Amino acid sequence: MSPAVTTESFPRAVDSSDRRFSPAELKDICSDLALQLDLDACANVDGSNALLKFHCSPEKSFLERNCAGLNVLLNMPYDQTLQYLLHYFSCKSQAPTTTGALLILPRWTTAKWWPLVQHLQQVRYYPKGSRIFDYPSPNGTRVRYQYGTKWPVVVLYDPPGRPVQFGAIRKSSDPPPPPPPPGPPMVRLAALRSSSGLSVTLRGHVAGTDMNCLFDTGADVSFISIPKAKAMGLAPKPCKVLVDLGNGATDTALGISRVKLRIGPMTTQVSLLHLSMPSSF
């Protein structure tokens, strides 16, 4: 049985990163669309906030799960939205006629990832202040934030059979562009832009291999050269992403890998786009 939901004030001790979408709202949306969802992409470790029987968690990350052939519920961590979207569309490109998603997103039209979803069907719009999420309280109940959302929220539907279409990923400071034609997404790498030859590199371990890691604060995503990836035995998942190298040139990434990165005492999981450019990284 699901934990009880109260409408008390939002306590300071509550983990606000645990945003469970209203189960009642989700049921109504699925009923309207005649949609059967298969996988909740973003639940907590113990699954107590999962909206579906089958779910991913930080320990069993959606970014390492091939969701091709499934209908996925995506209520993503806001700071990882781009990575989740790229992974989902990469999986869908493998089985476009049987893969779909219901996406719950803040309506941030100037976010760099917004062009990836702006063409999708909007099935719900919730204005700022809507009380559609609940959070865990210290006593184990689910607490509905009485002041509602800080921004408008939309629910978008990407049905199976819809072609995978991308717009160019842009900087959040850029003005909203006109609707883009179908094509691969674009990400930017800033490290290659400088003509001074100066860059910051760190020694680290990528998928167990000791190597130099380029520290690029201006890049949208992480990357690795195809020769280096092949030498390491990485088997990428197929994807198609246009990359602005920052020096006037572009490249097309045709694969993406999820690997473990360790630099000093820090260990994390990263997604690497495979680029054909010659590089020691």
Side-chain angles (χ1 to χ4, degrees), residues 85-93 116-117 120 158 164 166:
L85 291 175
L86 286 174
H87 178 72
Y88 163 70
F89 285 119
S90 174
C91 292
K92 182 169 183 176
S93 67
L116 298 176
V117 300
L120 301 182
D158 181 35
V164 178
F166 295 110

Side-chain angles (χ1 to χ4, degrees), residues 2 18 20 23 40 42-44 46-56 73 142:
S2 299
D18 181 351
R20 187 181 70 164
D40 186 342
C42 307
N44 54 17
D46 62 11
S48 60
N49 68 349
L51 288 166
L52 300 171
K53 178 181 179 181
F54 298 103
H55 53 270
C56 297
L73 174 64
R142 301 292 302 189

